[in-house]
Amino acid sequence: MRKWLAVLLVLFPALLMAAPEKEILLDLEGRPHALDEYAGRGKWLVVMVWASDCAVCNREVHEMIAFHQAHRETDAAVLGISVDGPGGKENALAFIKRHGVNFPNLIDDGKAFKAIYLRATGLPWFGGTPMNLVYSPSGELLARRIGPLGKDELEAFIKQAGN
């Protein structure tokens, strides 16, 4: 009994200090990327978290395409994160092709976005798709929203937050 207690006392701190989840997302070719490669680069960044089978995502993506087209050369960009997972890569590719998505997209491995969201917000889960995160040009998360977000609404938020 004492041996087991000694083993538990030695192992308990190690169990509490489990390694944090990796915050690495994959591009469509399977290469790893971090959100930090996109946020804090002197432009606003809108992250659209989507799933190929999400009806609202299928409607909203056209607003994000229009926003990205209007702002990518000047002050803002959009980054998509598919939560279809590596097993749903074909579905994600079909979504991108079907809608003519013009912004870069990454695929979550089922854990990375959850870790990113927890670090950024302190909340354990993001709640569903579509989820939109808005980062300032310096990389600070300024807004998060579950549900659709239109181009005009997004432009108004950025205009107000930029003042």
Side-chain angles (χ1 to χ4, degrees), residues 6 9 15 24 29 33 48 61 73 81 107 128-129 132 152:
L9 289 174
L15 293 173
I24 301 299
E29 287 76 41
H33 293 272
M48 177 188 176
V61 71
E73 297 295 328
I81 298 178
I107 298 179
T129 57
N132 294 285
D152 294 341

Side-chain angles (χ1 to χ4, degrees), residues 79-145:
L79 171 67
I81 298 178
S82 166
V83 292
D84 288 317
K89 181 179 174 183
E90 293 305 316
N91 294 333
L93 289 169
F95 176 95
I96 291 166
K97 183 177 180 181
R98 179 172 64 249
H99 296 293
V101 176
N102 61 350
F103 50 84
N105 282 271
L106 302 173
I107 298 179
D108 179 40
D109 67 357
K111 297 177 184 178
F113 183 72
K114 184 177 178 181
I116 291 166
Y117 190 75
L118 178 62
R119 178 175 52 95
T121 67
L123 301 172
W125 186 236
F126 67 94
T129 57
M131 161 65 75
N132 294 285
L133 305 172
V134 181
Y135 290 86
S136 72
S138 65
E140 177 185 2
L141 178 62
L142 294 184
R144 64 182 186 276
R145 178 172 174 174

Side-chain angles (χ1 to χ4, degrees), residues 24-120:
I24 301 299
L25 301 157
L26 302 175
D27 66 19
L28 300 174
E29 287 76 41
R31 293 180 301 246
H33 293 272
L35 185 60
D36 294 343
E37 294 175 40
Y38 300 88
R41 301 289 181 209
K43 286 185 175 185
W44 291 90
L45 177 67
V46 180
V47 177
M48 177 188 176
V49 182
W50 58 272
S52 61
D53 63 350
C54 165
V56 178
C57 300
N58 277 275
R59 288 190 307 268
E60 178 193 26
V61 71
H62 299 286
E63 292 287 323
M64 291 296 124
I65 290 168
F67 177 83
H68 184 72
Q69 184 66 32
H71 294 272
R72 69 179 175 190
E73 297 295 328
T74 56
D75 62 342
V78 177
L79 171 67
I81 298 178
S82 166
V83 292
D84 288 317
K89 181 179 174 183
E90 293 305 316
N91 294 333
L93 289 169
F95 176 95
I96 291 166
K97 183 177 180 181
R98 179 172 64 249
H99 296 293
V101 176
N102 61 350
F103 50 84
N105 282 271
L106 302 173
I107 298 179
D108 179 40
D109 67 357
K111 297 177 184 178
F113 183 72
K114 184 177 178 181
I116 291 166
Y117 190 75
L118 178 62
R119 178 175 52 95

